[in-house]
Amino acid sequence: MDLIVAVGADWGIGCEGDLLFSIPEDMKYFRTMTQGKVVVMGRKTLESLPGGKPLKNRTNIVLSQNPDYAVEGAQVCQSLDEVRKAVRAYAEDDVMVLGGAGIYRALLPYCKRAYVTHVEATAPADTYFPDLTKEPGWALVKEGEQQEHEGLRYRFCVYENSAVKA
């Protein structure tokens, strides 16, 4: 299982349910990295997507503790254990965690790689991703070239987890 996230310089990822930055190349990277994959997300993340609908050309797994929650085109799980059981049906390299913050924190120990878009700026945030430079077992293994969009500098990076749990 892997994850994908865009973070600010302070590892902020969101504010009031919205992403902090809108970078077209990051959206393109996200589409490329998740196309044809199994994507795991929380209910709020799903509802923040265009139209609040599951992502096309992907198998969507959504975590919601509400036993009555159902969404067409997605498998709904009521617990993290249920999510972990559901993803076992797929090749682990085909599973990508999309957030939100609680899902990231809970599944981080089970992820082998983190595809992180590092934006060299901060924005008001109320949601943060764990600082992988301080997380045991995580190491930066690839740092892309610096790019820029409307004054925002960013780079695509890959971290690997040597302490991944089975």
Side-chain angles (χ1 to χ4, degrees), residues 24-44:
E25 281 301 311
D26 180 49
M27 289 295 137
K28 181 178 176 186
Y29 181 68
F30 175 87
R31 280 190 304 276
T32 299
M33 296 301 294
T34 63
Q35 197 74 244
K37 303 264 183 169
V38 177
V39 293
V40 178
M41 68 193 95
R43 176 192 53 80
K44 289 179 188 174

Side-chain angles (χ1 to χ4, degrees), residues 60-128:
N60 291 253
I61 297 177
V62 179
L63 175 64
S64 172
Q65 294 176 344
N66 178 349
D68 298 323
Y69 186 77
V71 61
E72 188 176 333
Q75 177 181 350
V76 178
C77 297
Q78 263 85 55
S79 69
L80 284 166
D81 282 342
E82 198 177 326
V83 168
R84 291 191 55 230
K85 286 176 187 165
V87 300
R88 286 189 192 124
Y90 304 96
E92 64 181 46
D93 286 344
D94 286 340
V95 179
M96 188 75 75
V97 178
L98 308 185
I103 304 285
Y104 282 137
R105 277 191 302 277
L107 295 178
L108 189 65
Y110 305 98
C111 291
K112 288 171 57 174
R113 282 175 296 276
Y115 296 93
V116 180
T117 302
H118 276 287
V119 180
E120 297 174 16
T122 58
D126 59 16
T127 311
Y128 293 84

